[in-house]
Coordinates of all heavy atoms in Angstrom, one line a residue:
M110 N 92.7 14.2 -124.3 CA 93.3 13.0 -123.6 C 94.7 12.9 -124.0 O 95.1 12.5 -125.2 CB 92.4 11.8 -124.0 CG 93.0 10.5 -123.4 SD 92.1 9.9 -121.9 CE 93.1 8.5 -121.6
P111 N 95.7 13.0 -123.0 CA 97.1 12.8 -123.4 C 97.4 11.4 -123.7 O 96.7 10.5 -123.2 CB 97.8 13.3 -122.2 CG 96.8 13.1 -121.0 CD 95.5 13.2 -121.7
K112 N 98.3 11.1 -124.6 CA 98.6 9.8 -125.1 C 99.7 9.3 -124.1 O 100.7 10.0 -123.8 CB 99.1 9.9 -126.5 CG 99.3 8.5 -127.0 CD 99.4 8.5 -128.6 CE 99.9 7.3 -129.2 NZ 99.4 6.0 -128.6
N113 N 99.7 8.1 -123.9 CA 100.7 7.4 -123.0 C 101.7 6.8 -124.0 O 101.5 5.8 -124.6 CB 100.1 6.2 -122.2 CG 101.1 5.5 -121.4 OD1 102.3 5.9 -121.3 ND2 100.6 4.4 -120.7
Y114 N 102.9 7.4 -124.0 CA 103.9 7.1 -125.0 C 104.7 5.7 -124.6 O 105.3 5.2 -125.4 CB 104.9 8.2 -125.3 CG 104.2 9.1 -126.3 CD1 103.5 10.3 -125.9 CD2 104.4 8.8 -127.6 CE1 102.9 11.0 -126.9 CE2 103.7 9.5 -128.6 CZ 103.0 10.6 -128.2 OH 102.4 11.4 -129.1
M115 N 104.4 5.3 -123.4 CA 104.9 4.0 -123.0 C 104.4 3.0 -124.0 O 105.1 2.0 -124.3 CB 104.6 3.7 -121.5 CG 105.2 2.5 -120.9 SD 107.0 2.6 -121.0 CE 107.3 3.6 -119.5
E116 N 103.1 3.2 -124.4 CA 102.5 2.3 -125.4 C 103.4 2.2 -126.6 O 103.6 1.1 -127.2 CB 101.1 2.8 -125.8 CG 100.2 1.7 -126.0 CD 98.7 2.2 -126.3 OE1 98.3 3.1 -125.5 OE2 98.0 1.7 -127.1
N117 N 103.8 3.4 -127.2 CA 104.7 3.2 -128.3 C 106.0 2.5 -128.1 O 106.5 1.8 -129.0 CB 104.9 4.7 -128.8 CG 103.8 5.5 -129.3 OD1 102.7 5.5 -128.5 ND2 103.8 6.1 -130.4
I118 N 106.5 2.8 -127.0 CA 107.8 2.2 -126.6 C 107.7 0.7 -126.5 O 108.5 -0.1 -127.1 CB 108.3 2.8 -125.3 CG1 108.7 4.3 -125.7 CG2 109.5 2.1 -124.9 CD1 108.9 5.2 -124.3
V119 N 106.5 0.2 -125.9 CA 106.4 -1.2 -125.8 C 106.2 -1.8 -127.3 O 106.8 -2.8 -127.6 CB 105.1 -1.5 -124.9 CG1 104.7 -2.9 -125.1 CG2 105.4 -1.2 -123.5
D120 N 105.4 -1.1 -128.0 CA 105.2 -1.5 -129.5 C 106.5 -1.6 -130.2 O 106.7 -2.5 -131.0 CB 104.3 -0.5 -130.2 CG 102.8 -0.8 -130.0 OD1 102.5 -1.9 -129.6 OD2 102.0 0.1 -130.3
H121 N 107.4 -0.7 -129.9 CA 108.6 -0.5 -130.6 C 109.6 -1.7 -130.1 O 110.4 -2.2 -130.9 CB 109.3 0.8 -130.2 CG 110.6 1.1 -130.8 ND1 110.8 1.4 -132.2 CD2 111.9 1.1 -130.3 CE1 112.0 1.6 -132.4 NE2 112.8 1.5 -131.3
L122 N 109.6 -2.0 -128.8 CA 110.5 -3.0 -128.4 C 110.0 -4.4 -128.4 O 110.8 -5.3 -128.6 CB 110.9 -2.7 -126.9 CG 111.6 -1.4 -126.6 CD1 111.7 -1.3 -125.0 CD2 113.0 -1.5 -127.2
L123 N 108.7 -4.6 -128.4 CA 108.1 -5.9 -128.4 C 108.6 -6.9 -129.5 O 108.9 -8.1 -129.2 CB 106.5 -5.9 -128.3 CG 105.8 -7.1 -128.1 CD1 106.2 -7.8 -126.8 CD2 104.3 -6.8 -128.1
P124 N 108.6 -6.5 -130.8 CA 108.9 -7.4 -131.9 C 110.3 -8.1 -131.7 O 110.5 -9.3 -131.8 CB 108.9 -6.7 -133.1 CG 108.0 -5.5 -132.7 CD 108.2 -5.2 -131.3
S125 N 111.3 -7.3 -131.2 CA 112.6 -7.8 -131.2 C 112.8 -8.8 -129.9 O 113.5 -9.6 -129.9 CB 113.7 -6.8 -131.1 OG 113.4 -5.9 -130.1
I126 N 111.9 -8.4 -128.9 CA 112.0 -9.3 -127.7 C 111.3 -10.6 -128.0 O 111.8 -11.7 -127.6 CB 111.2 -8.6 -126.5 CG1 111.9 -7.3 -126.1 CG2 111.1 -9.5 -125.3 CD1 111.2 -6.5 -125.2
L127 N 110.2 -10.6 -128.8 CA 109.4 -11.8 -129.1 C 110.4 -12.8 -129.9 O 110.2 -14.0 -129.9 CB 108.3 -11.5 -129.9 CG 107.1 -10.9 -129.1 CD1 105.9 -10.4 -130.0 CD2 106.6 -11.9 -128.0
E128 N 111.3 -12.3 -130.6 CA 112.2 -13.0 -131.5 C 113.0 -14.0 -130.6 O 113.5 -15.0 -131.1 CB 113.1 -12.2 -132.3 CG 112.4 -11.6 -133.5 CD 113.4 -10.7 -134.3 OE1 114.6 -10.6 -134.0 OE2 112.8 -10.0 -135.2
N129 N 113.3 -13.6 -129.4 CA 114.1 -14.4 -128.4 C 113.3 -15.5 -127.8 O 113.9 -16.4 -127.1 CB 114.6 -13.6 -127.3 CG 115.6 -12.5 -127.8 OD1 116.4 -12.7 -128.8 ND2 115.4 -11.3 -127.3
F130 N 112.0 -15.6 -128.2 CA 111.2 -16.7 -127.5 C 110.8 -17.7 -128.7 O 110.5 -17.4 -129.8 CB 109.9 -16.1 -126.9 CG 110.1 -15.4 -125.6 CD1 110.6 -14.1 -125.6 CD2 109.9 -16.1 -124.4 CE1 110.8 -13.5 -124.4 CE2 110.1 -15.5 -123.2 CZ 110.6 -14.2 -123.2
E131 N 110.8 -18.9 -128.2 CA 110.3 -20.0 -129.2 C 109.1 -20.6 -128.7 O 108.8 -20.6 -127.5 CB 111.5 -21.1 -129.3 CG 112.6 -20.6 -130.3 CD 113.7 -21.7 -130.3 OE1 113.5 -22.7 -129.9 OE2 114.7 -21.2 -130.8
N132 N 108.3 -21.2 -129.6 CA 107.0 -21.9 -129.2 C 106.1 -21.0 -128.3 O 105.6 -21.5 -127.3 CB 107.4 -23.1 -128.4 CG 108.3 -24.0 -129.2 OD1 108.0 -24.2 -130.5 ND2 109.3 -24.6 -128.7
I133 N 106.0 -19.8 -128.6 CA 105.0 -19.0 -127.8 C 103.8 -18.6 -128.9 O 104.1 -18.5 -130.0 CB 105.6 -17.7 -127.1 CG1 106.1 -16.8 -128.2 CG2 106.5 -18.2 -126.1 CD1 106.5 -15.5 -127.6
C134 N 102.7 -18.4 -128.3 CA 101.6 -18.1 -129.1 C 101.6 -16.6 -129.4 O 101.8 -15.8 -128.5 CB 100.3 -18.4 -128.3 SG 98.8 -18.1 -129.2
L135 N 101.5 -16.3 -130.6 CA 101.5 -14.9 -131.0 C 100.1 -14.4 -131.6 O 100.1 -13.6 -132.5 CB 102.6 -14.6 -132.1 CG 104.0 -14.9 -131.6 CD1 105.0 -14.8 -132.7 CD2 104.4 -13.9 -130.4
C136 N 99.1 -15.1 -131.2 CA 97.8 -14.7 -131.7 C 97.4 -13.2 -131.2 O 98.0 -12.7 -130.2 CB 96.7 -15.6 -131.3 SG 96.2 -15.6 -129.5
K137 N 96.4 -12.7 -131.7 CA 96.0 -11.3 -131.3 C 95.7 -11.2 -129.8 O 96.2 -10.3 -129.2 CB 94.8 -11.0 -132.2 CG 94.6 -9.4 -132.4 CD 93.6 -9.2 -133.4 CE 93.1 -7.7 -133.4 NZ 92.0 -7.4 -132.6
Q138 N 95.0 -12.2 -129.3 CA 94.6 -12.1 -127.9 C 95.9 -12.1 -127.0 O 96.0 -11.3 -126.1 CB 93.8 -13.2 -127.6 CG 93.5 -13.4 -126.0 CD 92.1 -13.7 -125.7 OE1 91.6 -14.6 -126.2 NE2 91.6 -12.9 -124.8
C139 N 96.8 -13.0 -127.3 CA 98.0 -13.2 -126.5 C 98.9 -11.8 -126.6 O 99.4 -11.3 -125.6 CB 98.9 -14.3 -126.8 SG 98.0 -15.8 -126.2
L140 N 99.0 -11.4 -127.8 CA 99.7 -10.1 -128.0 C 99.2 -9.0 -127.2 O 99.9 -8.2 -126.7 CB 99.9 -9.8 -129.4 CG 100.8 -10.6 -130.3 CD1 100.8 -10.2 -131.8 CD2 102.3 -10.6 -129.7
E141 N 97.8 -8.8 -127.3 CA 97.1 -7.8 -126.6 C 97.4 -7.9 -125.0 O 97.5 -7.0 -124.4 CB 95.6 -7.8 -127.0 CG 95.3 -6.9 -128.1 CD 94.0 -7.1 -128.6 OE1 93.0 -7.6 -127.9 OE2 93.7 -6.6 -129.8
D142 N 97.3 -9.1 -124.6 CA 97.5 -9.4 -123.2 C 98.9 -9.1 -122.7 O 99.1 -8.5 -121.6 CB 97.1 -10.9 -122.9 CG 95.7 -11.3 -122.8 OD1 94.9 -10.3 -122.9 OD2 95.3 -12.4 -122.8
I143 N 99.8 -9.4 -123.6 CA 101.3 -9.0 -123.3 C 101.5 -7.6 -123.2 O 102.0 -7.0 -122.2 CB 102.2 -9.6 -124.4 CG1 102.2 -11.2 -124.3 CG2 103.6 -9.1 -124.3 CD1 102.9 -11.9 -125.4
K144 N 100.8 -6.9 -124.1 CA 101.0 -5.3 -124.1 C 100.2 -4.8 -122.9 O 100.8 -3.9 -122.2 CB 100.3 -4.8 -125.4 CG 101.3 -4.6 -126.5 CD 100.6 -3.9 -127.7 CE 100.2 -2.5 -127.4 NZ 99.6 -1.8 -128.6
A145 N 99.0 -5.3 -122.6 CA 98.2 -4.7 -121.6 C 99.0 -5.0 -120.2 O 99.0 -4.1 -119.4 CB 96.9 -5.4 -121.5
F146 N 99.5 -6.2 -120.1 CA 100.2 -6.5 -118.8 C 101.5 -5.6 -118.6 O 101.7 -5.1 -117.5 CB 100.6 -8.0 -118.8 CG 101.3 -8.4 -117.5 CD1 100.5 -8.9 -116.5 CD2 102.7 -8.2 -117.3 CE1 101.1 -9.3 -115.2 CE2 103.3 -8.5 -116.1 CZ 102.5 -9.1 -115.0
S147 N 102.2 -5.5 -119.7 CA 103.4 -4.7 -119.6 C 103.0 -3.2 -119.3 O 103.7 -2.6 -118.4 CB 104.0 -4.6 -121.0 OG 104.3 -5.9 -121.6
L148 N 102.0 -2.6 -119.8 CA 101.6 -1.3 -119.7 C 101.1 -1.0 -118.2 O 101.3 0.0 -117.6 CB 100.6 -0.8 -120.7 CG 101.2 -0.6 -122.1 CD1 100.1 -0.4 -123.1 CD2 102.2 0.5 -122.1
N149 N 100.4 -2.1 -117.7 CA 99.9 -2.0 -116.4 C 101.0 -2.1 -115.3 O 100.8 -1.6 -114.2 CB 98.9 -3.2 -116.0 CG 97.6 -3.0 -116.7 OD1 97.2 -1.9 -116.9 ND2 96.9 -4.0 -116.9
H150 N 102.2 -2.5 -115.7 CA 103.3 -2.6 -114.7 C 104.4 -1.7 -115.0 O 105.5 -1.7 -114.5 CB 103.7 -4.1 -114.7 CG 102.8 -5.0 -114.0 ND1 101.7 -5.5 -114.8 CD2 102.5 -5.4 -112.8 CE1 101.0 -6.3 -114.0 NE2 101.5 -6.2 -112.8
L151 N 104.2 -0.7 -115.9 CA 105.1 0.3 -116.2 C 104.6 1.7 -116.0 O 103.3 1.8 -116.2 CB 105.6 0.2 -117.7 CG 106.5 -1.0 -118.1 CD1 106.4 -1.2 -119.6 CD2 107.9 -0.8 -117.6
P152 N 105.3 2.6 -115.5 CA 104.8 3.9 -115.3 C 104.3 4.5 -116.6 O 105.0 4.4 -117.6 CB 106.0 4.7 -114.7 CG 107.1 4.0 -115.2 CD 106.8 2.5 -115.3
P153 N 103.2 5.2 -116.6 CA 102.7 5.9 -117.9 C 103.6 7.0 -118.2 O 104.3 7.6 -117.3 CB 101.4 6.4 -117.6 CG 101.2 6.2 -116.1 CD 102.2 5.4 -115.5
L154 N 103.8 7.2 -119.4 CA 104.8 8.4 -119.9 C 103.9 9.3 -120.8 O 103.7 9.1 -121.9 CB 105.9 7.6 -120.8 CG 107.0 8.5 -121.1 CD1 107.8 8.9 -119.9 CD2 107.9 7.7 -122.1
Y155 N 103.5 10.4 -120.1 CA 102.7 11.4 -120.9 C 103.6 12.7 -121.2 O 104.2 13.3 -120.4 CB 101.5 12.0 -120.0 CG 100.6 10.9 -119.8 CD1 100.4 10.3 -118.5 CD2 99.8 10.3 -120.9 CE1 99.5 9.4 -118.2 CE2 98.9 9.3 -120.6 CZ 98.7 8.9 -119.2 OH 97.8 7.9 -119.0
V156 N 103.8 12.8 -122.5 CA 104.6 14.0 -122.9 C 103.9 14.7 -124.2 O 103.0 14.0 -124.7 CB 106.0 13.5 -123.5 CG1 107.0 13.1 -122.4 CG2 105.8 12.2 -124.4
S157 N 104.4 15.8 -124.5 CA 103.7 16.5 -125.6 C 104.0 15.8 -126.8 O 104.8 15.1 -127.0 CB 104.2 18.0 -125.6 OG 105.5 17.9 -126.3
T158 N 103.0 16.0 -127.7 CA 102.9 15.2 -129.0 C 104.3 15.1 -129.8 O 104.8 14.1 -130.0 CB 101.8 15.7 -129.9 OG1 100.7 15.8 -129.1 CG2 101.6 14.7 -131.1
S159 N 104.9 16.3 -130.1 CA 106.1 16.2 -130.8 C 107.3 15.7 -130.1 O 108.0 14.8 -130.6 CB 106.5 17.7 -131.3 OG 106.6 18.5 -130.1
Q160 N 107.3 16.0 -128.9 CA 108.3 15.4 -128.0 C 108.2 13.9 -127.8 O 109.2 13.1 -128.0 CB 108.2 15.9 -126.5 CG 109.4 16.2 -125.8 CD 109.1 16.6 -124.3 OE1 107.9 17.0 -124.0 NE2 110.0 16.5 -123.4
G161 N 106.9 13.4 -127.7 CA 106.7 12.0 -127.5 C 106.9 11.3 -128.8 O 107.4 10.2 -128.7
Y162 N 106.6 11.9 -129.8 CA 106.8 11.2 -131.1 C 108.3 10.9 -131.3 O 108.7 9.7 -131.6 CB 106.3 12.0 -132.3 CG 106.5 11.4 -133.7 CD1 105.7 10.4 -134.1 CD2 107.6 11.7 -134.5 CE1 105.7 9.8 -135.3 CE2 107.7 11.1 -135.7 CZ 106.8 10.1 -136.1 OH 106.9 9.5 -137.3
S163 N 109.2 11.9 -131.1 CA 110.6 11.7 -131.4 C 111.1 10.7 -130.3 O 112.0 9.9 -130.6 CB 111.4 12.9 -131.4 OG 111.1 13.7 -130.2
Y164 N 110.6 10.8 -129.0 CA 111.1 10.0 -128.0 C 110.8 8.5 -128.2 O 111.6 7.6 -128.2 CB 110.3 10.5 -126.7 CG 110.9 9.8 -125.5 CD1 112.3 9.9 -125.2 CD2 110.1 9.0 -124.7 CE1 112.8 9.3 -124.1 CE2 110.7 8.5 -123.5 CZ 112.0 8.6 -123.2 OH 112.4 8.0 -122.1
A165 N 109.6 8.4 -128.8 CA 109.1 6.9 -128.9 C 109.8 6.3 -130.1 O 110.1 5.2 -130.2 CB 107.6 6.9 -129.1
K166 N 110.1 7.2 -131.1 CA 110.8 6.6 -132.3 C 112.2 6.6 -132.2 O 113.0 5.8 -132.9 CB 110.5 7.6 -133.5 CG 109.1 7.7 -134.0 CD 108.8 6.4 -134.9 CE 107.2 6.4 -135.0 NZ 106.8 5.1 -135.5
S167 N 112.8 7.1 -131.2 CA 114.3 7.3 -131.0 C 114.9 5.9 -130.7 O 114.4 5.1 -129.9 CB 114.5 8.2 -129.9 OG 115.9 8.2 -129.6
N168 N 116.0 5.6 -131.2 CA 116.7 4.4 -130.8 C 117.7 4.8 -129.7 O 118.4 4.0 -129.2 CB 117.5 3.8 -132.0 CG 116.7 3.2 -133.0 OD1 115.7 2.6 -132.6 ND2 116.9 3.5 -134.2
E169 N 117.7 6.0 -129.3 CA 118.6 6.5 -128.3 C 118.0 6.5 -126.9 O 118.4 7.2 -126.0 CB 118.9 8.1 -128.6 CG 119.5 8.2 -130.0 CD 120.8 7.6 -130.2 OE1 121.7 7.7 -129.3 OE2 121.0 6.9 -131.2
L170 N 116.9 5.7 -126.7 CA 116.3 5.6 -125.4 C 117.3 5.2 -124.4 O 118.3 4.4 -124.6 CB 115.2 4.4 -125.5 CG 114.0 4.6 -126.2 CD1 113.1 3.4 -126.1 CD2 113.2 5.8 -125.5
D171 N 117.2 5.8 -123.2 CA 118.2 5.7 -122.2 C 118.4 4.1 -121.9 O 117.4 3.4 -121.8 CB 117.6 6.3 -121.0 CG 118.6 6.0 -119.8 OD1 119.6 6.6 -119.7 OD2 118.1 5.3 -118.9
R172 N 119.6 3.6 -121.8 CA 119.9 2.3 -121.7 C 119.2 1.6 -120.6 O 118.6 0.5 -120.7 CB 121.4 2.1 -121.6 CG 121.9 0.8 -122.1 CD 123.5 0.8 -121.9 NE 123.9 -0.2 -120.9 CZ 123.9 -1.4 -121.2 NH1 123.7 -1.9 -122.3 NH2 124.3 -2.2 -120.2
Q173 N 119.3 2.1 -119.4 CA 118.7 1.5 -118.2 C 117.2 1.6 -118.3 O 116.5 0.5 -117.9 CB 119.1 2.3 -116.9 CG 118.7 1.6 -115.6 CD 119.3 0.2 -115.6 OE1 120.4 -0.1 -115.8 NE2 118.4 -0.7 -115.1
F174 N 116.6 2.5 -118.9 CA 115.2 2.7 -119.1 C 114.7 1.5 -120.1 O 113.8 0.8 -119.7 CB 114.8 4.1 -119.7 CG 113.5 4.2 -120.1 CD1 112.4 4.4 -119.2 CD2 113.0 4.1 -121.4 CE1 111.0 4.5 -119.5 CE2 111.7 4.2 -121.8 CZ 110.7 4.4 -120.8
K175 N 115.5 1.3 -121.1 CA 115.2 0.3 -122.1 C 115.3 -1.1 -121.4 O 114.5 -2.0 -121.6 CB 116.2 0.4 -123.2 CG 115.6 0.0 -124.5 CD 116.6 0.5 -125.6 CE 116.3 -0.3 -127.0 NZ 117.1 0.3 -128.0
I176 N 116.2 -1.3 -120.5 CA 116.4 -2.6 -119.8 C 115.2 -2.8 -119.0 O 114.6 -3.9 -118.9 CB 117.7 -2.6 -119.0 CG1 118.9 -2.6 -120.0 CG2 117.7 -3.8 -118.1 CD1 120.3 -2.4 -119.3
N177 N 114.8 -1.8 -118.2 CA 113.6 -1.9 -117.4 C 112.4 -2.3 -118.1 O 111.6 -3.2 -117.7 CB 113.4 -0.6 -116.5 CG 114.5 -0.3 -115.6 OD1 115.3 -1.2 -115.2 ND2 114.6 0.9 -115.1
V178 N 112.2 -1.7 -119.2 CA 111.0 -1.9 -120.0 C 111.0 -3.3 -120.6 O 110.1 -4.0 -120.5 CB 110.7 -0.8 -121.2 CG1 109.6 -1.2 -122.0 CG2 110.5 0.6 -120.5
T179 N 112.2 -3.7 -121.1 CA 112.3 -5.0 -121.7 C 112.1 -6.0 -120.7 O 111.4 -7.0 -120.9 CB 113.8 -5.1 -122.2 OG1 114.1 -4.1 -123.2 CG2 114.0 -6.5 -122.8
Q180 N 112.6 -5.8 -119.4 CA 112.3 -6.8 -118.3 C 110.8 -7.0 -118.0 O 110.3 -8.1 -117.9 CB 113.0 -6.3 -117.0 CG 114.3 -6.9 -116.8 CD 115.1 -6.3 -115.6 OE1 114.5 -5.5 -114.9 NE2 116.3 -6.7 -115.4
K181 N 110.1 -6.0 -118.1 CA 108.7 -6.1 -117.8 C 108.0 -6.7 -119.0 O 107.0 -7.5 -118.7 CB 108.0 -4.7 -117.7 CG 108.1 -4.0 -116.3 CD 107.5 -4.8 -115.2 CE 107.9 -4.4 -113.9 NZ 107.9 -5.4 -112.9
I182 N 108.5 -6.5 -120.2 CA 107.8 -7.1 -121.3 C 108.1 -8.6 -121.2 O 107.2 -9.5 -121.5 CB 108.3 -6.5 -122.7 CG1 107.9 -5.0 -122.7 CG2 107.8 -7.3 -123.9 CD1 108.4 -4.3 -123.9
V183 N 109.3 -9.0 -120.9 CA 109.7 -10.4 -120.9 C 108.8 -11.1 -119.7 O 108.3 -12.3 -120.0 CB 111.2 -10.6 -120.5 CG1 111.5 -12.0 -120.0 CG2 112.0 -10.2 -121.6
E184 N 108.6 -10.5 -118.6 CA 107.7 -10.9 -117.6 C 106.4 -11.1 -118.0 O 105.7 -12.1 -117.8 CB 107.7 -9.8 -116.5 CG 108.2 -10.3 -115.0 CD 108.1 -9.2 -114.2 OE1 109.2 -8.5 -113.9 OE2 107.0 -8.9 -113.5
A185 N 105.9 -10.1 -118.8 CA 104.5 -10.2 -119.3 C 104.3 -11.4 -120.3 O 103.4 -12.1 -120.2 CB 104.2 -8.8 -120.1
I186 N 105.3 -11.6 -121.2 CA 105.3 -12.7 -122.1 C 105.2 -14.1 -121.4 O 104.4 -14.8 -121.7 CB 106.5 -12.7 -123.0 CG1 106.5 -11.4 -124.0 CG2 106.5 -14.0 -123.8 CD1 107.8 -11.3 -124.8
E187 N 106.0 -14.2 -120.3 CA 106.0 -15.4 -119.5 C 104.8 -15.7 -118.8 O 104.2 -16.7 -118.9 CB 107.1 -15.4 -118.6 CG 108.5 -15.7 -119.3 CD 109.8 -15.3 -118.4 OE1 109.6 -14.9 -117.3 OE2 110.9 -15.7 -118.9
I188 N 104.1 -14.5 -118.2 CA 102.9 -14.8 -117.5 C 101.7 -15.1 -118.4 O 101.0 -16.0 -118.2 CB 102.6 -13.5 -116.6 CG1 103.6 -13.5 -115.5 CG2 101.2 -13.4 -116.2 CD1 103.7 -12.2 -114.7
V189 N 101.7 -14.3 -119.5 CA 100.6 -14.6 -120.5 C 100.7 -16.0 -121.1 O 99.7 -16.7 -121.2 CB 100.7 -13.5 -121.6 CG1 99.7 -13.8 -122.8 CG2 100.2 -12.1 -121.1
Q190 N 101.9 -16.4 -121.4 CA 102.0 -17.8 -122.0 C 101.7 -18.8 -121.0 O 101.2 -19.9 -121.4 CB 103.4 -18.0 -122.6 CG 103.8 -17.1 -123.8 CD 102.7 -17.3 -124.9 OE1 102.6 -18.5 -125.3 NE2 102.1 -16.3 -125.4
N191 N 101.8 -18.6 -119.7 CA 101.5 -19.6 -118.8 C 100.0 -19.4 -118.4 O 99.5 -20.4 -117.5 CB 102.4 -19.4 -117.5 CG 103.8 -19.8 -117.7 OD1 104.0 -20.7 -118.5 ND2 104.7 -19.2 -117.1
N192 N 99.4 -18.4 -118.7 CA 97.9 -18.3 -118.3 C 97.1 -17.8 -119.6 O 96.4 -16.9 -119.6 CB 97.8 -17.1 -117.3 CG 98.5 -17.4 -116.1 OD1 98.0 -18.2 -115.2 ND2 99.8 -16.9 -116.0
K193 N 97.3 -18.6 -120.7 CA 96.6 -18.3 -122.0 C 95.0 -18.3 -121.7 O 94.5 -19.1 -121.0 CB 96.9 -19.2 -123.1 CG 98.3 -19.1 -123.6 CD 98.3 -20.0 -124.9 CE 99.8 -20.1 -125.2 NZ 100.4 -21.2 -124.3
R194 N 94.4 -17.3 -122.3 CA 93.0 -17.1 -122.1 C 92.2 -17.9 -123.1 O 91.0 -17.6 -123.3 CB 92.6 -15.6 -122.0 CG 93.2 -14.9 -120.8 CD 92.4 -13.7 -120.5 NE 92.8 -12.6 -121.4 CZ 91.9 -11.7 -121.8 NH1 90.7 -11.7 -121.5 NH2 92.4 -10.7 -122.6
H195 N 92.9 -18.6 -123.9 CA 92.2 -19.5 -124.9 C 92.6 -20.8 -124.9 O 93.8 -21.2 -124.3 CB 92.4 -18.9 -126.3 CG 93.8 -18.7 -126.7 ND1 94.6 -19.8 -126.9 CD2 94.6 -17.6 -126.8 CE1 95.8 -19.3 -127.3 NE2 95.8 -18.0 -127.2
D196 N 92.0 -21.8 -125.5 CA 92.4 -23.2 -125.6 C 93.8 -23.3 -126.4 O 94.0 -22.5 -127.4 CB 91.4 -24.0 -126.2 CG 90.1 -24.0 -125.3 OD1 90.4 -23.9 -124.1 OD2 89.0 -24.2 -125.8
M197 N 94.5 -24.3 -126.2 CA 95.7 -24.7 -126.9 C 95.2 -25.0 -128.3 O 94.2 -25.7 -128.6 CB 96.4 -25.9 -126.3 CG 97.0 -25.6 -124.9 SD 98.3 -24.3 -124.9 CE 99.7 -25.3 -125.5
K198 N 96.1 -24.5 -129.3 CA 95.7 -24.8 -130.7 C 96.6 -26.0 -131.1 O 97.7 -26.1 -130.7 CB 96.0 -23.6 -131.5 CG 94.8 -22.6 -131.5 CD 95.1 -21.4 -132.2 CE 94.1 -20.3 -131.7 NZ 94.6 -18.9 -131.8
Ligands
ZN223 ZN1 97.3 -17.0 -128.1

């Protein structure tokens, strides 16, 4: 089963994006929903293991690509926070 490296890229970018948000829920469920939503709205990225590893770890990700992924993650955060699947704490 090939690995979708978009997942690594989302994992890589998510923490710094979350820092720009205040008063959002960062529980496991919301984080999982944010990731799932992002990945559902981004094209999967299947590459060979060694290539994928360096690609996902690289800070040299193409600028426009990074902007596109960041936009989807921001969208995901907003949608998940407006539709939390659990009660307010
Ligand atoms: Zn939550």
Side-chain angles (χ1 to χ4, degrees):
M110 173 100 182
K112 186 166 167 43
N113 178 7
Y114 277 94
M115 189 58 85
E116 207 175 321
N117 295 49
I118 294 165
V119 169
D120 274 343
H121 179 74
L122 294 175
L123 187 56
S125 58
I126 297 170
L127 287 171
E128 280 176 12
N129 298 316
F130 284 83
E131 279 174 15
N132 301 319
I133 60 169
C134 180
L135 296 175
C136 75
K137 200 164 169 270
Q138 169 140 50
C139 287
L140 285 178
E141 271 172 16
D142 285 351
I143 290 166
K144 266 183 69 174
F146 184 93
S147 309
L148 290 171
N149 282 338
H150 291 83
L151 286 162
L154 189 68
Y155 294 113
V156 284
S157 75
T158 309
S159 56
Q160 218 188 340
Y162 184 77
S163 53
Y164 189 55
K166 291 283 170 195
S167 170
N168 290 320
E169 307 292 315
L170 286 176
D171 176 72
R172 211 177 106 83
Q173 188 56 46
F174 174 80
K175 214 167 161 173
I176 291 170
N177 293 345
V178 175
T179 302
Q180 266 172 4
K181 279 295 165 210
I182 296 175
V183 168
E184 235 178 271
I186 293 170
E187 284 166 355
I188 286 167
V189 169
Q190 292 302 306
N191 289 328
N192 301 279
K193 286 192 200 74
R194 291 199 287 144
H195 57 69
D196 295 331
M197 294 293 283
K198 280 173 194 154

